[in-house]
Amino acid sequence: MSITFHSDGSIVHLTNGTISYVIELLDHTYLLHRYFGQAIRAWHGTGVTIPSKRSYTTEYADGTQNLYFDALPFEYPTPGRSDYRLPALTAEGPSGAAVVDLKFCSWQVLPQKPAVPGLPMTFSAPDESETLEIVCSDPVAGIKVYLYYTIFHDLNIITRHQRIENTGKTAIRLRNVQSLSLELPARDYELLTLYGCHAKEANQSRALLHQGVQRIGSCYGSSSPRHQPFFALLQPGTTEQTGEIYGFQLIYSGNFSAAVEKDTFGQVRAQIGLNPDTFTWTLEPGEAFDTPEAVLNYSANGLNGMRQGFHKLIRNHIMPPRWRDAQRPVLLNSWEAMYYDVSLDKIETQAQLAKELGIELFVLDDGWFRAGNDSRSSMGDWTCNQNKLPGGIDRVASIVHAKGLKFGLWFEPEAVSPNSQLYRTHPDWIVHVPGYAPVEGRHEYLLDLGRAEVQQYLLDMLHGYLAGGQIDYIKWDMNRPLTDVASSALPPGRQGEAAHRYILGLYAVLDEITRCYPDVLFEGCSSGGARFDAGMLHYFPQNWTSDNTDACDRVTIQSGFDLLYPQSTMGAHVSITPNHQTGRSTTLDTRYQVCRLYNLGYELDLTLCTPEERDEIARQIAAYKAQRSWLMAGTLFHSQSSDQNCTAWSVVSPDQTQCMMIVFQKLYNPLSSCARFALCGLDPASDYRDTATGKVYGGDELMQIGLTVPLVKHDFTTFCFHLVKI
């Protein structure tokens, strides 16, 4: 791993022996991107061409023939000086014009990775990464920009963020600050994104990149109700195991923008950062603004290579270290068993059955504080309804702990009901625009987390429940988007800061509460996957993947999310059939097999299960526990097949001694041949035994030829192959 400078001071090369990132300094003035991809020993100007002059454009200031800003591959492009493509930074300086001309000042290698104040970010030990700092400035606009590039010793990843300072004597108005901008050479690319909606998250969209700007984003106040803060540019024809990919991800939980521009001549500029449609920020003289950190992931080995790069980064450099290797308990969530109608008798009955089946954690979901059995009241007060639960949460915790189970509790701290004491006392604490009746979502408003007093209220409430040590797990939910986005704590000219300040306030609360209670397992949720992002995983080591627990739909949802997130971060629950969300019926075995490579849980009324079903659940849990450690720590792969009716994914243990492969057959098709799937990540020089059949296969044979799925005349069927090295 090294960051080296060319002897003439015009080139810097970041490499770890696997990837290289090259920046050239043009005339000791402008930063140009020259290369990102597989490692090279050095860069000598390979691939640089001077294109023919385009009509109707401007020329570079020194008069060099055929050189102009609109073709230069800038590292951090700005508008107003002849580059008409997507800018990474747009700011209004003293003149009021949105013109910024950043010029190079200095660069250096830092002794350690700098913090991003108030924001989640990657972390590493000094010997695990190196960081390049580049300083550029525009004295006329009064702007200084610090560009940070971090390379990790064992990852195909560069992370980037910026600090923007006002060095002038008047205020500066930021209108657009992207965390990452990357120039790629003219060639064909496919654009991969993850899109969806509530109960149908993380669908993969893949299409050929065309001329113009293609853009996704969020303006909901949370990261992922419709699109993940992620995209990838793929070599056409890329498969799970082959092909070149550039993956982009933002470590942020609010509004974002991800855009790719392919110009008329095929050159590509890709960016990700804060959504400029919902953001402005005023910097007074001497103030600074820090952008969220962005991740740039290179894979020469297809989607699996990108997948594993993101997984390693999150496990080792984003997730709370306390939970990286910790076993997640098998849980029972009360929601589909009780909904809002909770009682001590129901809780004790469910907890007793859970204990008998081997479940380790009982989670009390919504309803425990409600005045009635619906969502129309009490949110924000967080006082247990003693009529439903005499003795309160302490009593519930004691009942659950007496069964030998851990106890978890559901909260939605960011919301407040109009019918609540908190709202009646502090109506100005909600996000709202004066003069408009605020819009309700699920009979709720959102608290203005940008206000210090709101943050303190939430902290005091959470400390009150957690300080006693009775709660082992918190499910932190957030069930509505931001609307009427304005803060009564901000003046009219700074309302464009409200959405980002909301997220900064959220992070401030999460930072304190998770530091104070490191042994409490926090799970994030936002109506399922509406705020499933790397920023939340900096505080919460796992997230509820989707409110849709249907096994067939979960195959698509989980396959999308696990492109980015390790299996240990994803909650996967077995629920009742017919499924409450879709009405679809699947076997108990299928529902379990779809969940078993992730964080296993159950979300059903155990009293409605037959004795035979409870026996099967007990066997499922025992099998899961026996393999949980290596399944959660192992490497996740997807296998390629021409049969789109089947999906196959597997986990290989860190020492390559075990592999668990699950194949899901959506529909039985009598006209198709049996699907065959090649495995990945095994030791090619060793043999493996199928524990179910006793058959022995070579690791190379399994990876080159694969296993054939049996012919089974049923829809929604799963097949499990457990292979052990001999």
Side-chain angles (χ1 to χ4, degrees):
M1 180 174 62
S2 66
I3 300 176
T4 56
F5 301 94
H6 193 274
S7 58
D8 67 2
S10 65
I11 297 169
V12 60
H13 179 193
L14 296 80
T15 186
N16 57 11
T18 305
I19 58 170
S20 286
Y21 193 105
V22 178
I23 301 170
E24 181 183 17
L25 186 57
L26 176 65
D27 290 343
H28 297 280
T29 303
Y30 294 109
L31 295 170
L32 304 183
H33 177 78
R34 286 309 187 193
Y35 177 75
F36 176 57
Q38 294 191 66
I40 56 176
R41 289 181 292 111
W43 185 79
H44 300 94
T46 307
V48 173
T49 59
I50 300 177
S52 299
K53 183 177 180 179
R54 307 171 189 175
S55 62
Y56 200 69
T57 189
T58 57
E59 297 178 354
Y60 184 58
D62 72 351
T64 302
Q65 188 176 8
N66 295 333
L67 190 61
Y68 43 92
F69 275 27
D70 204 29
L72 292 176
F74 290 108
E75 272 294 318
Y76 201 64
T78 57
R81 299 285 287 173
S82 300
D83 184 352
Y84 300 98
R85 296 161 294 172
L86 290 170
L89 172 65
T90 307
E92 297 172 0
S95 69
V99 175
V100 178
D101 190 11
L102 291 178
K103 297 182 178 179
F104 173 81
C105 296
S106 65
W107 50 22
Q108 65 171 328
V109 179
L110 300 180
Q112 62 184 16
K113 191 175 187 293
V116 184
L119 287 165
M121 61 175 293
T122 58
F123 57 84
S124 67
D127 61 343
E128 294 178 328
S129 69
E130 285 188 331
T131 297
L132 171 68
E133 177 192 76
I134 305 178
V135 182
C136 298
S137 71
D138 179 348
V140 175
I143 292 176
K144 181 177 285 187
V145 178
Y146 297 80
L147 304 167
Y148 295 101
Y149 302 74
T150 297
I151 185 168
F152 298 83
H153 76 94
D154 61 346
L155 296 175
N156 293 358
I157 279 175
I158 302 281
T159 63
R160 292 180 56 182
H161 73 278
Q162 296 76 34
R163 165 163 277 209
I164 301 157
E165 288 186 355
N166 182 350
T167 59
K169 298 180 180 180
T170 60
I172 291 171
R173 185 178 176 87
L174 303 179
R175 289 174 24 194
N176 168 40
V177 283
Q178 297 303 293
S179 296
L180 183 156
S181 186
L182 180 71
E183 307 280 334
L184 293 173
R187 63 179 68 157
D188 287 335
Y189 299 93
E190 291 180 338
L191 175 64
L192 172 65
T193 63
L194 298 178
Y195 74 96
C197 63
H198 174 244
K200 204 70 178 73
E201 296 90 343
N203 303 274
Q204 297 184 39
S205 171
R206 185 167 161 178
L208 190 66
L209 192 67
H210 57 77
Q211 261 76 12
V213 176
Q214 286 112 102
R215 183 184 178 212
I216 60 169
S218 173
C219 59
Y220 289 79
S222 54
S223 61
S224 39
R226 294 293 183 267
H227 294 280
Q228 269 288 306
F230 151 83
F231 69 96
L233 294 173
L234 288 63
Q235 175 186 346
T238 291
T239 69
E240 295 289 351
Q241 285 123 277
T242 64
E244 188 175 47
I245 303 177
Y246 302 91
F248 305 77
Q249 187 178 29
L250 191 65
I251 305 175
Y252 187 65
S253 307
N255 296 338
F256 78 94
S257 171
V260 185
E261 181 174 8
K262 184 175 184 180
D263 73 13
T264 304
F265 298 90
Q267 295 181 119
V268 171
R269 176 174 289 175
Q271 296 179 347
I272 194 166
L274 296 175
N275 191 332
D277 293 342
T278 60
F279 169 85
T280 61
W281 197 275
T282 299
L283 280 182
E284 297 294 340
E287 291 184 341
F289 181 86
D290 295 280
T291 68
E293 191 171 27
V295 179
L296 180 55
N297 181 354
Y298 174 79
S299 169
N301 300 306
L303 293 168
N304 279 329
M306 181 185 74
R307 176 181 287 113
Q308 288 145 25
F310 282 132
H311 288 197
K312 289 178 182 178
L313 183 77
I314 288 170
R315 275 181 174 150
N316 299 324
H317 303 286
I318 292 179
M319 182 187 297
R322 158 71 176 83
W323 293 101
R324 183 184 63 190
D325 300 317
Q327 287 189 354
R328 309 294 201 274
V330 179
L331 66 82
L332 175 68
N333 186 284
S334 72
W335 179 241
E336 291 191 11
M338 306 180 200
Y339 289 103
Y340 299 103
D341 190 13
V342 303
S343 70
L344 292 180
D345 288 343
K346 290 180 181 179
I347 290 169
E348 184 159 16
T349 299
Q350 296 289 333
Q352 178 60 40
L353 290 172
K355 176 62 177 178
E356 293 171 4
L357 300 182
I359 288 169
E360 299 160 308
L361 165 66
F362 176 83
V363 179
L364 179 60
D365 210 287
D366 199 350
W368 59 271
F369 59 93
R370 301 282 190 181
N373 289 331
D374 57 37
S375 61
R376 295 180 180 273
S377 70
S378 312
M379 186 74 75
D381 294 339
W382 300 112
T383 300
C384 184
N385 185 334
Q386 297 276 339
N387 293 323
K388 292 184 177 184
L389 303 174
I393 294 303
D394 285 346
R395 176 62 180 149
V396 177
S398 66
I399 290 172
V400 173
H401 287 151
K403 305 294 183 184
L405 302 176
K406 294 181 180 296
F407 173 61
L409 191 59
W410 178 94
F411 284 94
E412 192 177 344
E414 299 162 65
V416 60
S417 303
N419 183 14
S420 67
Q421 186 58 45
L422 178 64
Y423 180 69
R424 286 187 286 270
T425 304
H426 297 289
D428 59 321
W429 279 12
I430 68 168
V431 177
H432 71 288
V433 179
Y436 291 90
V439 175
E440 291 186 27
R442 211 179 78 132
H443 317 297
E444 301 169 358
Y445 304 137
L446 284 177
L447 293 170
D448 182 0
L449 268 65
R451 300 178 64 136
E453 61 269 43
V454 172
Q455 297 169 30
Q456 193 58 54
Y457 172 80
L458 295 182
L459 288 168
D460 291 344
M461 180 273 293
L462 292 165
H463 284 309
Y465 279 99
L466 292 171
Q470 296 297 303
I471 298 173
D472 306 293
Y473 162 105
I474 291 290
K475 183 176 181 180
W476 183 299
D477 210 343
M478 190 269 201
N479 282 308
R480 58 153 296 173
L482 266 71
T483 57
D484 308 289
V485 181
S487 171
S488 56
L490 293 172
R494 302 190 69 154
Q495 291 300 327
E497 302 176 13
H500 184 56
R501 288 189 182 277
Y502 182 99
I503 298 299
L504 293 177
L506 171 66
Y507 288 152
V509 173
L510 300 186
D511 183 67
E512 176 172 332
I513 213 70
T514 54
R515 281 190 296 105
C516 290
Y517 307 101
D519 294 329
V520 174
L521 175 58
F522 287 85
E523 178 172 282
C525 178
S526 183
S527 290
R531 197 166 63 189
F532 196 158
D533 58 70
M536 293 303 290
L537 291 176
H538 181 79
Y539 306 99
F540 298 167
Q542 62 191 57
N543 205 90
W544 179 225
T545 312
S546 176
D547 284 345
N548 185 348
T549 54
D550 175 81
C552 182
D553 285 348
R554 268 305 187 103
V555 170
T556 299
I557 293 167
Q558 292 168 186
S559 295
F561 277 126
D562 73 28
L563 270 174
L564 311 179
Y565 307 115
Q567 58 271 29
S568 64
T569 67
M570 296 169 57
H573 294 181
V574 177
S575 60
I576 202 70
T577 192
N579 182 266
H580 284 201
Q581 290 79 40
T582 67
R584 185 181 287 119
S585 294
T586 54
T587 68
L588 183 55
D589 180 66
T590 290
R591 284 172 271 153
Y592 165 67
Q593 298 293 355
V594 168
C595 295
R596 74 182 299 180
L597 300 186
Y598 305 90
N599 282 334
L600 179 65
Y602 290 79
E603 192 154 343
L604 42 73
D605 187 345
L606 292 174
T607 66
L608 299 180
C609 297
T610 66
E612 293 77 17
E613 287 173 329
R614 289 200 289 268
D615 287 345
E616 185 175 350
I617 289 172
R619 290 192 294 271
Q620 291 172 352
I621 293 171
Y624 177 79
K625 288 180 178 178
Q627 297 152 351
R628 170 171 51 186
S629 294
W630 70 265
L631 283 175
M632 292 301 103
T635 304
L636 180 69
F637 297 89
H638 280 244
S639 294
Q640 194 76 27
S641 173
S642 58
D643 187 348
Q644 300 302 310
N645 191 45
C646 291
T647 302
W649 61 108
S650 61
V651 173
V652 177
S653 63
D655 60 4
Q656 296 181 301
T657 60
Q658 297 195 71
C659 173
M660 182 79 71
M661 183 179 190
I662 307 294
V663 179
F664 177 80
Q665 175 182 280
K666 186 174 183 179
L667 300 174
Y668 166 64
N669 184 354
L671 298 179
S672 66
S673 60
C674 298
R676 187 173 69 189
F677 291 93
L679 283 81
C680 306
L682 302 178
D683 179 358
S686 298
D687 291 334
Y688 291 82
R689 176 180 287 112
D690 185 330
T691 60
T693 65
K695 290 184 178 180
V696 175
Y697 307 93
D700 52 352
E701 178 185 7
L702 289 167
M703 291 191 292
Q704 296 299 323
I705 301 173
L707 292 172
T708 301
V709 176
L711 181 63
V712 174
K713 298 181 179 180
H714 294 291
D715 298 338
F716 316 126
T717 301
T718 53
F719 309 92
C720 177
F721 302 92
H722 181 204
L723 302 163
V724 179
K725 184 189 285 190
I726 58 175

